[in-house]
Amino acid sequence: MNLRVPGPTPLPPEVIAAVGRQMIDHRGPEFEAMFGEITAGLKRFFETDGDVLILTTSGTGGMEAAVVNTLSPGDRVLAVTIGAFGDRFAEIAEAYGAEVTRLSFPMGQAADPARVAREVAESGPYAAVLLTHNETSTGVTNDLESLCRAIQAAANPAPLILVDAISSLGGIRLCADAWGCDVVVTSSQKAWAAPPGLAMVSFGERAWAAYARAKMPRFYLDLGQAKKYAQRNQTPATPNVAALYGLQVSLRQMVDEGTAAIYARHARIGAHCRRGIVELGLGLFADPAHYSNTVTAVTLRDDLRASDLLRALRSRYGVVCASSKAPGAEMIRIGHMGHVSEADLDEVLAALRELTAG
Ligand SMILES: Cc1ncc(COP(=O)(O)O)c(C=O)c1O
């Protein structure tokens, strides 16, 4: 099976072996050594000297943690959304009683930093801005550095910047400290080539200052508790030990490959996928200036139906791609993050060539 959905992503053989290991005491020395190693490895990718906390939840739980640990009911929040996952971030903040303003950009487009800055300057003050680094529903990567700089220049004090980097981090570069991202969330089943079940969240100094004031309810996702336990390389509740086994081995491989080499590989494979799609006469949904290197959204000719194509890819070629998350858009999405090579994409492209011929 060639699993080409944008998460969960395929596991390298060594990671598969690791997740099948016997359990260990999560209050014992073996666990503490593993947790410490994973945390140190993650910090290289977040590019932060601040805290990186590991939660046993999917990515959505990490987004919820970002919100409830920094905000209070009634806080004004600007949700910059370019697709389904930006909308989800807004919904989470609304669910906890924030007063959310949505600044939506058309599907397939990136957020315009100048437009975001204008909103922050003219309609603020906002307690926080919610951003998506890589919008998995449309295959668009926002220019996160420019967005952060524009927000910081637009208001003093600048609103907190909370970032969903669930489908980018580990495959596309993000510099949490240098760009001033106060909270960044990612998730194990994406570019980390580990099983689902862990959210990894960086939390900077400004975020901790907000934490002290934040009044939204929190218990399982309380990052103050997570930090207290992380100081001795533990977690407040029983963690997903098997996913941590996998993440430890995957991170070792990632550290060996090197951050720059990983980002270059994702860029190369993203370009390879897009080139192949265009050669087949199919379309690319995203704005060319903001193509994602971890997921490609492919638009189809009028004579093709996404559901038929996905079914044939799966049953006849063992290739599993994802359906559209853009209402009304007839498209399929191809994931290419984590443990992936050009050869994996060549299989997808060869199958698509046969299925779309004529
Ligand atoms: C950008 C983005 N945000 C949030 C999520 C939700 O993550 P999860 O399904 O792990 O809760 C996803 C998952 O696809 C995603 O790609």
Side-chain angles (χ1 to χ4, degrees):
M1 195 70 100
N2 188 347
L3 183 62
R4 295 268 63 91
V5 296
T9 63
L11 306 180
E14 299 79 6
V15 174
I16 295 176
V19 300
R21 289 203 315 253
Q22 185 55 279
M23 289 296 107
I24 51 174
D25 173 18
H26 65 296
R27 304 286 176 220
E30 304 90 344
F31 182 88
E32 289 168 4
M34 172 173 75
F35 200 81
E37 179 187 329
I38 293 172
T39 305
L42 289 172
K43 284 189 183 188
R44 290 175 183 236
F45 287 89
F46 280 83
E47 301 199 28
T48 183
D49 294 328
D51 292 297
V52 174
L53 300 163
I54 304 170
L55 307 172
T56 288
T57 79
S58 78
T60 305
M63 295 161 80
E64 192 157 326
V67 168
V68 302
N69 285 281
T70 54
L71 296 168
S72 300
D75 275 353
R76 298 190 64 227
V77 169
L78 180 64
V80 178
T81 170
I82 62 168
F85 291 107
D87 290 345
R88 180 176 300 184
F89 220 171
E91 284 166 26
I92 293 169
E94 275 163 357
Y96 281 96
E99 197 189 303
V100 176
T101 301
R102 284 168 205 242
L103 180 56
S104 302
F105 292 87
M107 299 276 272
Q109 302 293 308
D112 172 15
R115 179 75 192 82
V116 174
R118 190 158 12 106
E119 178 65 28
V120 169
E122 293 175 6
S123 307
Y126 287 105
V129 180
L130 312 182
L131 298 176
T132 314
H133 188 196
N134 186 75
E135 181 48 79
T136 322
S137 66
T138 57
V140 171
T141 304
N142 267 324
D143 179 352
L144 185 60
E145 180 177 9
S146 296
L147 285 166
C148 290
R149 304 247 181 268
I151 292 164
Q152 286 145 4
N156 188 10
L160 286 173
I161 299 179
L162 313 184
V163 182
D164 168 356
I166 287 172
S167 64
S168 55
L169 204 55
I172 299 171
R173 189 172 186 201
L174 182 157
C175 310
D177 288 358
W179 298 352
C181 305
D182 297 295
V183 184
V184 177
V185 180
T186 186
S187 177
S188 52
Q189 81 280 18
K190 302 287 188 183
W192 306 96
L198 301 171
M200 296 86 88
V201 182
S202 71
F203 215 71
E205 267 174 37
R206 280 173 15 113
W208 284 120
Y211 172 88
R213 301 186 297 269
K215 298 258 176 334
M216 284 182 182
R218 57 188 185 220
F219 185 84
Y220 184 67
L221 299 175
D222 186 332
L223 294 181
Q225 287 298 313
K227 179 178 165 119
K228 197 170 111 196
Y229 279 82
Q231 278 160 348
R232 48 180 198 269
N233 286 319
Q234 291 190 12
T235 55
T238 315
N240 185 338
V241 175
L244 286 164
Y245 286 159
L247 183 57
Q248 178 185 33
V249 171
S250 181
L251 263 174
R252 281 182 187 164
Q253 294 185 351
M254 291 172 74
V255 168
D256 278 353
E257 184 178 356
T259 51
I262 291 174
Y263 303 143
R265 174 168 56 83
H266 280 80
R268 216 176 50 231
I269 291 174
H272 183 70
C273 179
R274 294 188 292 271
R275 206 165 35 242
I277 291 297
V278 170
E279 277 168 16
L280 294 178
L282 302 176
L284 298 167
F285 187 67
D287 174 354
H290 297 280
Y291 284 140
S292 165
N293 286 328
T294 56
V295 56
T296 297
V298 179
T299 54
L300 305 177
R301 296 192 311 257
D302 288 347
D303 60 320
L304 296 168
R305 293 230 356 247
S307 54
D308 294 341
L309 201 52
L310 290 170
R311 201 173 311 113
L313 278 170
R314 181 191 284 261
S315 62
R316 289 172 47 194
Y317 299 89
V319 169
V320 184
C321 294
S323 57
S324 174
K325 274 180 92 70
E330 198 66 13
M331 68 181 185
I332 65 169
R333 293 174 302 137
I334 304 171
H336 35 82
M337 64 185 100
H339 180 57
V340 59
S341 68
E342 271 98 339
D344 297 317
L345 272 303
D346 286 340
E347 277 180 31
V348 182
L349 294 168
L352 281 174
R353 181 171 299 114
E354 289 188 15
L355 290 171
T356 61

